[in-house]
Amino acid sequence: MPLDADAPQNPPPAFSKTFDDVAVGDTVSIRRTVTPDDIYVFAHASGNLNPMHLPASGETGDAGQHPAPSMWLGSLFSAILGNLLPGPGTLYEAQDLRFLGRAHAGDDLNVTVQVTEKRPPATIVLRTQIFRGEEILVDGKAEVCPPAERQKIGDAAVPDITIARHRHVTRLLAACKALPPMPTAVVSPEDESSLLGPLEAMQAGLITPILVGDAAKIRAVAAAHNAVLGDVEIIDIASHDLAAARAVELVHEGRAAAVMKGNLHTDVLLKHVVKSQGGLRGSRRISHVFVMDVPHLHDLLLVTDAAINIAPTLEDKVDITQNAIDLALALGIPVPKVGVLAAVEVVNPKMPATLDAAALAKMAERGQIHGGIVDGPLAMDNAISLAAAKTKGLISSVAGRADILVVPNLEAGNILAKELTYAAQAEGAGIVLGASVPVLLTSRADDATARLFSCVTAVLYESWLRTGQSAVPPAPAA
């Protein structure tokens, strides 16, 4: 019978049971709710990558839309046998299972084992069942060898596991489905990463690339990696400098709505972007933003400026902050919360970063920075951790909840963004703002997801520039 929903759960016994301690009819049941993480962990532990259980590449949604692997269900019996009945020291001898139904994420399961037979000298037979409500999903029989002596149950030291799921990449990609492909001038895509990235984005319906560079090199790279160029337009210009200039011209001609860096130095491209005559400069200083999808954090985290402005002045930081707020609005954050970082959360006249932070916060209060809430100085911990902010006694609508981190200088931002990428398994998109169109600065070290994420970010920002409205539905509440 399934476990009574109102029945108390079996508390862990102080000791495991030996063969003599166990009686026919002894029954233990536990409750377990299936989560998407269970399915991902099982895939890693078992090596079972059956697409029946996992989302396909680029599929929106989560593993919870797919049935849990049957053998994951079967593994739940070991939680009872190894912990409760007979308990620690038990060894499996055999297990028969019959799968009568499928479980999905969100299902509440009752896992039950009952002793049906004792076979001397040391084998215990148990019926093993899993129910979802009154429906039986799994029925079977286990044979185990209990411990020869009672063993005291202690606290096992099990390391924590973090599932590096980048749900925001998936969510923002889904928001782009309703938008037309963005015509994008790709400058000198003459190596693997700079060519395959735009082609992958084209296949995903994000961009329509115009390849501006050495045509022979572009075609050679495509052939070497079995990439199909099809009818993709190629403008044959061997010089990186001239290719960058032509890409900017394509924007002025109305043929391109964004510019993407290929296999050339960043300064060569930006030289033409920032030209006072014929460039793409707007009214603000150009700045860079990393958009980070961090598995530990519920919301997106934007880091600025980590790539262009080396030692920004207060005046520079006003534009850097405003650019980042605009991008956050484009990405569906209704009221972006901006934390201006320093080493401490109090104003110290000997630390210029704290003075700049306090000035930016006051300027936002007076409407000189608009569209978001700005507070600072904030240390990194109390900018993103409510617990840290509470410990410090900070009263702020930003502390512990920051969507945007404004760093004091390029070194700090670059270190922070790379630490999030390589130590916290974040996925990051890079984009240059403040020009008349988005400029994508992709890196050789970017994986396929990062390149796609940068294109997603640019498409959503370009749409916001055109319409003044975000194409992104509100993110799920925490």
Side-chain angles (χ1 to χ4, degrees):
M1 291 292 293
L3 177 67
D4 183 348
D6 298 323
Q9 294 295 286
N10 297 77
F15 293 90
S16 58
K17 294 184 176 182
T18 66
F19 183 83
D20 292 334
D21 295 329
V22 173
V24 172
D26 285 351
T27 303
V28 172
S29 297
I30 61 172
R31 293 186 178 94
R32 178 64 180 263
T33 299
V34 187
T35 71
D37 284 356
D38 293 327
I39 298 173
Y40 285 117
V41 170
F42 184 81
H44 279 282
S46 67
N48 178 6
L49 305 180
N50 184 347
M52 175 68 70
H53 309 299
L54 297 169
S57 177
E59 179 183 343
T60 59
D62 209 332
Q65 299 176 353
H66 298 251
S70 296
M71 287 309 299
W72 176 80
L73 291 172
S75 72
L76 298 180
F77 297 118
S78 62
I80 296 179
L81 300 175
N83 296 334
L84 301 171
L85 180 67
T90 298
L91 294 175
Y92 250 119
E93 292 182 345
Q95 174 77 66
D96 294 331
L97 295 171
R98 184 170 183 81
F99 300 100
L100 306 173
R102 306 297 171 190
H104 294 77
D107 287 349
D108 293 317
L109 306 179
N110 296 328
V111 185
T112 301
V113 303
Q114 182 178 54
V115 178
T116 59
E117 183 182 356
K118 295 176 65 177
R119 295 177 186 166
T123 296
I124 295 174
V125 182
L126 308 99
R127 188 175 186 185
T128 54
Q129 297 175 297
I130 296 178
F131 295 87
R132 178 176 54 210
E134 297 295 324
E135 179 187 4
I136 184 168
L137 301 182
V138 184
D139 195 6
K141 180 180 71 174
E143 297 180 11
V144 301
C145 177
E149 298 180 355
R150 294 179 182 176
Q151 297 186 20
K152 185 176 177 61
I153 294 177
D155 294 327
V158 181
D160 291 335
I161 295 177
T162 299
I163 305 299
R165 183 192 296 101
H166 300 108
R167 59 187 178 277
H168 295 296
V169 176
T170 302
R171 182 173 63 87
L172 296 179
L173 178 59
C176 291
K177 299 296 185 184
L179 299 175
M182 180 178 66
T184 303
V186 186
V187 185
S188 302
E190 298 160 0
D191 69 347
E192 177 185 358
S193 64
S194 63
L195 178 61
L196 299 188
L199 295 181
E200 290 167 358
M202 179 182 69
Q203 293 296 322
L206 295 170
I207 70 171
T208 301
I210 304 171
L211 308 181
V212 187
D214 190 315
K217 290 182 179 179
I218 292 170
R219 291 192 174 95
V221 172
H225 296 89
N226 297 317
V228 178
L229 293 173
D231 58 358
V232 173
E233 181 178 1
I234 300 176
I235 299 177
D236 187 13
I237 301 177
S239 163
H240 288 178
D241 185 70
L242 295 177
R246 181 64 183 127
V248 170
E249 289 175 357
L250 290 173
V251 174
H252 287 291
E253 293 170 5
R255 297 185 58 201
V259 175
M260 180 186 294
K261 173 181 173 287
N263 185 28
L264 76 164
H265 292 295
T266 299
D267 57 348
V268 175
L269 173 60
L270 293 184
K271 176 181 71 174
H272 294 279
V273 171
V274 303
K275 286 190 303 186
S276 57
Q277 298 295 324
L280 302 176
R281 295 179 64 172
S283 60
R284 295 188 207 139
R285 186 174 185 84
I286 285 177
S287 62
H288 182 273
V289 177
F290 276 117
V291 182
M292 312 300 292
D293 187 347
V294 187
H296 284 287
L297 302 180
H298 180 267
D299 299 311
L300 282 170
L301 187 66
L302 280 62
V303 178
T304 189
D305 179 333
I308 292 180
N309 294 284
I310 298 173
T313 64
L314 174 60
E315 185 178 11
D316 297 335
K317 289 179 181 178
V318 172
D319 285 346
I320 288 170
T321 302
Q322 189 64 66
N323 287 341
I325 289 174
D326 288 352
L327 178 59
L329 292 170
L331 298 179
I333 301 173
V335 184
K337 295 177 285 295
V338 183
V340 188
L341 296 186
V344 294
E345 63 279 349
V346 295
V347 176
N348 184 334
K350 296 181 180 180
M351 302 176 70
T354 68
L355 298 175
D356 286 353
L360 291 169
K362 180 55 69 175
M363 293 172 80
E365 287 183 11
R366 301 290 170 85
Q368 292 171 269
I369 300 171
H370 54 86
I373 304 171
V374 182
D375 194 13
L378 293 174
M380 178 66 185
D381 56 349
N382 48 59
I384 64 171
S385 168
L386 283 169
K390 184 177 180 180
T391 299
K392 295 290 183 67
L394 294 179
I395 301 174
S396 166
S397 58
V398 174
R401 307 175 180 87
D403 303 303
I404 299 169
L405 301 178
V406 176
V407 299
N409 53 48
L410 184 145
E411 287 94 340
N414 196 273
I415 291 168
L416 173 57
K418 289 180 178 176
E419 181 182 22
L420 290 171
T421 299
Y422 293 101
Q425 292 79 51
E427 200 65 74
I431 185 171
V432 174
L433 308 172
S436 58
V437 298
V439 179
L440 291 81
L441 293 185
T442 54
S443 167
R444 288 187 181 213
D446 286 345
D447 61 16
T449 302
R451 293 194 295 266
L452 201 68
F453 192 16
S454 291
C455 291
V456 165
T457 301
V459 168
L460 294 171
Y461 181 63
E462 191 273 337
S463 173
W464 182 83
L465 288 176
R466 281 189 293 105
T467 66
Q469 301 291 327
S470 173
V472 183

